[in-house]
Amino acid sequence: MRSLQRTPVESGDGSLVRDSSLVWLAGGIVGVSFGAVSVAGGLPVWVPVLMSVLVYAGSAQFSAVGVLLAGGGPVAAAVTGLLLNARTAAFSLAVAEIIGSGRATRLLGAHLVTDETVAFALAQSDPVRRRRAFWISGLGLFAVWNVGVLAGATAGSALGDTARYGLDAAFPAVLVALVLPALRADAAVRRCALLGAAVALAVTPAVPAGVPVLLALAGLFLHRRPAGTGAAA
């Protein structure tokens, strides 16, 4: 009887693992690229590896390493990374109730907040499944990302120019796949997404990588409250 009662949970977790695997694969591929680019540019292996464990922010890490390789100092690299990762503050608000209670739980959960993990969690149908999706996808992505970075850093310059492999397209492709169901189901979400995409595309040539995603939040201004939820007259 106990095994029958646990079957739905196990089956649900299995589907979450299966669905998360695409995100993990993309994370591992981009992690390899990050590790290889860092070491090929002249940084020691421990720099991208330690950064990936402690910082864990893809676009911010790429930008910080770019600053270092261009001759900038650690402070400039850190400020650049913080600026580009500021968007996760909005993401954290969206998943604050999903992560759970407890200081240690929230601290670890905040470290695991990424574009992909938040999108995957919010795409689920109920609060319990959202929480399980967040932790399964978040912990898995963290592990795969760091393994990928270590592998890429170890390989170093052996991979050559990683840009020729098109590895930077992996994460955007995954994000599109994650948000398509919401775009199809809700016209209001489509309006917000279109405005956000237009803003991001318009500013991309003029701002550093990662900033267009932050500015795309302007699309939320098109969001409409459901009828009857406005303030009383």
Side-chain angles (χ1 to χ4, degrees), residues 4 37 44 56 78 91 103 107 112 144 158 164 169 176-177 179 195 211 224 229:
L4 290 177
V37 167
Y56 185 53
F91 299 159
R103 183 174 299 178
L107 182 62
L112 298 178
V144 172
R164 66 184 178 185
V176 169
V179 303
L195 176 59
V211 174
R224 297 286 184 271
T229 61

Side-chain angles (χ1 to χ4, degrees), residues 12-33 56 112 114-118 120-121 124 131-149 167 170-175 177-178:
D13 286 352
S15 67
L16 291 175
V17 170
R18 183 189 65 243
D19 294 342
S20 297
S21 61
L22 180 62
V23 181
W24 297 343
L25 176 61
I29 292 173
V30 179
V32 169
S33 176
Y56 185 53
L112 298 178
T114 65
D115 310 56
E116 300 76 26
T117 299
V118 171
F120 183 70
Q124 308 308 313
R131 178 169 298 177
R132 300 186 73 85
F134 176 86
W135 286 105
I136 289 174
S137 64
L139 290 171
L141 183 58
F142 179 79
V144 172
W145 169 263
N146 282 279
V147 170
V149 170
L167 300 180
F171 266 142
V174 170
L175 283 175
L178 288 175

Side-chain angles (χ1 to χ4, degrees), residues 169-226:
F171 266 142
V174 170
L175 283 175
V176 169
L178 288 175
V179 303
L180 273 179
L183 293 176
R184 290 171 177 166
D186 194 326
V189 172
R190 286 196 296 273
R191 289 194 297 269
C192 294
L194 285 173
L195 176 59
V199 171
L201 287 173
V203 302
T204 293
V207 299
V211 174
V213 177
L214 181 61
L215 297 179
L217 293 174
L220 294 176
F221 286 114
L222 287 184
H223 189 267
R224 297 286 184 271
R225 291 183 180 181

Side-chain angles (χ1 to χ4, degrees), residues 53-140:
V53 173
L54 298 180
V55 179
Y56 185 53
S59 62
Q61 289 181 225
F62 273 104
S63 298
V65 165
V67 171
L68 291 174
L69 296 181
V75 174
V79 170
T80 300
L82 286 173
L83 173 63
L84 298 186
N85 216 37
R87 68 184 187 281
T88 58
F91 299 159
S92 297
L93 293 175
V95 297
E97 298 301 321
I98 295 174
I99 292 175
S101 59
R103 183 174 299 178
T105 299
R106 287 186 173 274
L107 182 62
L108 177 58
H111 192 55
L112 298 178
V113 169
T114 65
D115 310 56
E116 300 76 26
T117 299
V118 171
F120 183 70
L122 295 181
Q124 308 308 313
S125 57
D126 62 82
V128 174
R129 187 169 173 84
R130 288 186 192 122
R131 178 169 298 177
R132 300 186 73 85
F134 176 86
W135 286 105
I136 289 174
S137 64
L139 290 171

